[in-house]
Amino acid sequence: MLDIAVASRSETGQRDTNEDKVRVCREGPRWLAVVADGAGGHVGGAEASRRTVDHLETALHEGNPPFTADALTAAVLSAHADVLRAQPGAEGLGRMHSTVVVLWVDVSTERALWSHVGDSRLYRARHGRVDLLTADDSVVQRMVDAGLLTQQQALVHPQKNQLIAALGIDDAVDPHTVARPVAIEEGDAFLLCSDGWWGALEPGCIASTLSQADSPEEWLAAMRREIERQAAPHQDNFSAIGVWVGDLGEATRPMAAG
């Protein structure tokens, strides 16, 4: 059975409060990692993100459902319904909402499932390559998909934080869940993070910091230092979870040049 090592961080940045929530839990061979980024509402985004991680822990960790894509999608939709029930009756910008990205791992079968809504992301490093496994539910991502913007232009676009989907919105939500369990391999490294984390990193930083780290704690700490080094005047809350599968080893680490 593959070993799993996990670390998490959640930082306030230049905001007054932290509306991000992270959650990691384990039950037997199953691991659950969740990052939620809340915003809006008179109750506050912190309430939306808290409800999101609490509900997913109850549904997937304590509920012991079958390890299927349908079960994961149902849990995310149930979290959406829970945030909706807690709305204070406001409309538009007055509604609280939360993004979410979930990684669910079963080491007994060496498989993983993931799902997301909004612009919190999941990356995977494997055999020297870092891949983004999610696509943002955002106006800017739609523009990139349509060929109207490049990825570099998207990073500085004034609408880069405008979401088209999140848990708690007054509309149907369609979680982006991988179709079936995906094999994990010795040396895989996963990064779940809010937009305040990935949006503040230079291209290649995920790879370069991974190449020099000996643990997921060191990996997250190195990325945090890079974010804080930039000292962005309006730095958002920034949160992440690092999940390492077994021994990364030199053959599976990205090159430091990224």
Side-chain angles (χ1 to χ4, degrees), residues 9 22-23 37-38 54 58-59 61 83 95-96 99 101 108 151 160 165 169 195 198 204 206 209 217 237:
R9 301 195 78 105
V22 299
R23 185 68 51 84
D37 178 1
D54 284 351
T58 298
H61 177 63
V83 177
R95 298 180 67 84
M96 65 177 178
T99 70
V101 59
S108 65
Q151 289 288 359
K160 66 178 183 178
I169 64 171
D195 68 321
W198 62 258
I206 294 173
T209 51
E217 290 86 359
N237 307 149

Side-chain angles (χ1 to χ4, degrees), residues 139-217:
V139 170
V140 165
Q141 185 59 49
R142 288 286 178 89
M143 296 171 75
V144 171
D145 294 342
L148 302 175
L149 292 176
T150 66
Q151 289 288 359
Q152 287 300 107
Q153 291 171 327
L155 292 175
V156 295
H157 195 277
Q159 292 179 289
K160 66 178 183 178
N161 299 123
Q162 186 173 338
L163 298 178
I164 59 175
L167 304 188
I169 64 171
D170 190 18
D171 204 350
V173 167
D174 184 16
H176 306 286
T177 305
V178 66
R180 60 187 61 84
V182 176
I184 56 175
E185 298 181 6
E186 180 90 13
D188 283 350
F190 293 92
L191 177 69
L192 302 84
C193 54
S194 64
D195 68 321
W197 189 283
W198 62 258
L201 294 176
E202 294 292 333
C205 185
I206 294 173
S208 62
T209 51
L210 179 62
S211 70
Q212 301 168 34
D214 291 323
S215 68
E217 290 86 359

Side-chain angles (χ1 to χ4, degrees), residues 17-103:
T17 59
N18 190 350
E19 296 184 315
D20 289 357
K21 293 289 184 294
V22 299
R23 185 68 51 84
V24 175
C25 43
R26 177 188 182 184
E27 180 64 35
R30 291 187 183 176
W31 287 82
L32 178 67
V34 187
V35 172
D37 178 1
H42 300 295
V43 176
E47 175 70 7
S49 60
R50 182 194 64 77
R51 284 181 171 273
T52 296
V53 298
D54 284 351
H55 198 87
L56 286 167
E57 179 177 5
T58 298
L60 297 173
H61 177 63
E62 299 174 10
N64 194 32
F67 190 74
T68 64
D70 286 346
L72 179 53
T73 296
V76 175
L77 288 173
S78 182
H80 171 56
D82 187 63
V83 177
L84 279 175
R85 285 192 296 269
Q87 293 290 357
E91 297 181 355
L93 295 176
R95 298 180 67 84
M96 65 177 178
H97 61 268
S98 179
T99 70
V100 68
V101 59
V102 189
L103 178 67

Side-chain angles (χ1 to χ4, degrees), residues 90-158:
E91 297 181 355
L93 295 176
R95 298 180 67 84
M96 65 177 178
H97 61 268
S98 179
T99 70
V100 68
V101 59
V102 189
L103 178 67
W104 196 22
V105 178
D106 187 330
V107 293
S108 65
T109 61
E110 300 186 358
R111 295 288 187 271
L113 288 161
W114 56 83
S115 184
H116 86 285
V117 177
D119 62 356
S120 291
R121 292 182 173 184
L122 175 65
Y123 295 87
R124 181 186 62 198
R126 172 180 285 176
H127 301 310
R129 173 175 171 171
V130 176
D131 291 312
L132 175 60
L133 301 180
T134 55
D136 301 339
D137 284 319
S138 67
V139 170
V140 165
Q141 185 59 49
R142 288 286 178 89
M143 296 171 75
V144 171
D145 294 342
L148 302 175
L149 292 176
T150 66
Q151 289 288 359
Q152 287 300 107
Q153 291 171 327
L155 292 175
V156 295
H157 195 277

